[in-house]
Amino acid sequence: MNVMAALACVVVPAVLALLVAGCRSESAPDVVREPRTASRLEGSIAITNVTLVDVVSGAPQRATTVVTKAGEIAAIGPSISVPPGAVRVDGTGKFLIPGLWDMHAHQEMTGMESLDLHLANGVVGTRDMGSDAEFI
């Protein structure tokens, strides 16, 4: 399985969440919430000069460009053309991997505030191990 096939099943917000994880500072992250609209998802996003982690081999692929279109990964490679009008994200010094899952979380104990912290660290899903069903 090549990198494109491995990443094709990953949703773009999960990938971008991990790029944000590489940007964080020592202080708590600021989370910007934007409404997800169809027009926002129709455009392209190009993450340039990022180190892509191959989930099959574990090998880093440096100076890679990842282009998304309409919410899906459209192209990955070292010399991919960035479409006109695409939102550019400079990935210099950052790593890109598929979204992570926390498979043993206690959301009721940590509260809703922890969801932003999860996302800032690349965790895009959690498996709650005992919270009240109404809370979840």
Side-chain angles (χ1 to χ4, degrees):
M1 177 184 285
N2 64 26
V3 175
M4 183 68 167
L7 288 176
C9 62
V10 178
V11 294
V12 172
V15 173
L16 294 176
L18 281 153
L19 183 62
V20 171
C23 300
R24 73 178 193 280
S25 64
E26 294 300 315
S27 62
D30 292 329
V31 177
V32 177
R33 290 191 169 93
E34 295 180 19
R36 293 184 71 180
T37 61
S39 62
R40 183 171 158 237
L41 291 177
E42 289 172 8
S44 291
I45 299 171
I47 305 169
T48 60
N49 205 35
V50 70
T51 298
L52 181 73
V53 178
D54 184 329
V55 296
V56 176
S57 71
Q61 297 179 5
R62 290 172 176 74
T64 301
T65 297
V66 178
V67 176
T68 68
K69 175 104 174 112
E72 295 184 10
I73 296 172
I76 298 173
S79 57
I80 299 297
S81 297
V82 175
V87 174
R88 287 178 173 259
V89 177
D90 183 13
T92 302
K94 296 170 183 63
F95 293 84
L96 194 61
I97 65 173
L100 303 173
W101 275 75
D102 181 342
M103 296 305 290
H104 189 119
H106 295 275
Q107 297 301 149
E108 194 166 12
M109 289 176 56
T110 58
M112 297 296 287
E113 303 82 32
S114 69
L115 297 178
D116 290 342
L117 185 59
H118 276 97
L119 185 59
N121 286 285
V123 176
V124 297
T126 63
R127 178 177 172 225
D128 196 286
M129 300 301 292
S131 293
D132 182 58
E134 289 184 26
F135 176 83
I136 299 298

